[in-house]
Amino acid sequence: MSIQPGERIPEAILQYVADGVHKIDTLTLFEGRKLVLFSVPGAFTPTCSERHLPGFVEHFDAFRERGIEVACMAVNDPFVMQAWGESQHVPAGMRMLADGNAEFTRALGLEMDASGFGMGTRSKRFALYAEDGVVRELFVEAPGEFRVSSAENVLAHLPG
């Protein structure tokens, strides 16, 4: 079963690149802030690159105007996430987080088996909104769909 609204974010370590590889604990990442974390099955994959990430890039300022930070995550390594972010012109302030071994994805209960596509364990496509480490909204896509986790839908369901 996946994490549900009202539950606390589980603890795990994610990575990102900023003048070298850095680790960040999810408790630190979410603590004391409003954060939308959206996750994609894979960097550089078609829907993720053509629709999902671009929507959050386009609406980044609208989230920030509401005092909400935005982070993108995938079960990829931090160098892939950095390169993908650069190729997609991700704005400064949007973290591109790597969950290389899918530890956080599994802790959330949002993993999927993409072995049939040669991709192993990956994250389902989702977005969650948390305040101070507590999930307030969760948007998980059905397999093969892209609707509820879009930046536009998430913005429409958030406060303020």
Side-chain angles (χ1 to χ4, degrees), residues 32-47:
R33 62 180 45 94
K34 297 175 183 177
L35 177 69
V36 168
L37 174 72
F38 70 99
S39 188
V40 299
F44 292 104
T45 57
T47 301

Side-chain angles (χ1 to χ4, degrees), residues 142-154:
E145 290 195 7
F146 175 66
R147 296 178 310 119
V148 299
S149 66
S150 71
E152 296 82 3
N153 188 64
V154 173

Side-chain angles (χ1 to χ4, degrees), residues 8-131:
R8 293 203 66 75
I9 293 290
E11 188 171 5
I13 303 294
L14 300 173
Q15 294 182 305
Y16 64 95
V17 176
D19 295 321
V21 177
H22 298 273
K23 294 180 179 182
I24 187 165
D25 182 279
T26 53
L27 301 184
T28 301
L29 177 66
F30 284 89
E31 182 180 26
R33 62 180 45 94
K34 297 175 183 177
L35 177 69
V36 168
L37 174 72
F38 70 99
S39 188
V40 299
F44 292 104
T45 57
T47 301
C48 306
S49 292
E50 295 165 11
R51 298 173 66 200
H52 207 174
L53 179 56
F56 280 94
V57 169
E58 179 183 344
H59 295 289
F60 182 73
D61 289 337
F63 286 99
R64 293 305 283 258
E65 288 168 7
R66 295 184 188 191
I68 299 169
E69 296 181 40
V70 179
C72 176
M73 181 182 80
V75 179
N76 284 112
D77 68 68
F79 302 105
V80 167
M81 293 302 289
Q82 176 192 30
W84 189 41
E86 289 171 356
S87 76
Q88 292 284 321
H89 309 290
V90 167
M94 182 186 292
R95 290 203 188 180
M96 299 298 288
L97 301 168
D99 185 19
N101 294 323
E103 292 167 0
F104 184 52
T105 299
R106 283 189 190 96
L108 291 171
L110 292 168
E111 74 276 9
M112 68 174 192
D113 182 359
S115 298
F117 304 102
M119 296 167 58
T121 299
R122 293 293 175 121
S123 172
K124 292 179 180 178
R125 184 180 307 283
F126 73 86
L128 65 78
Y129 169 66
E131 293 178 352

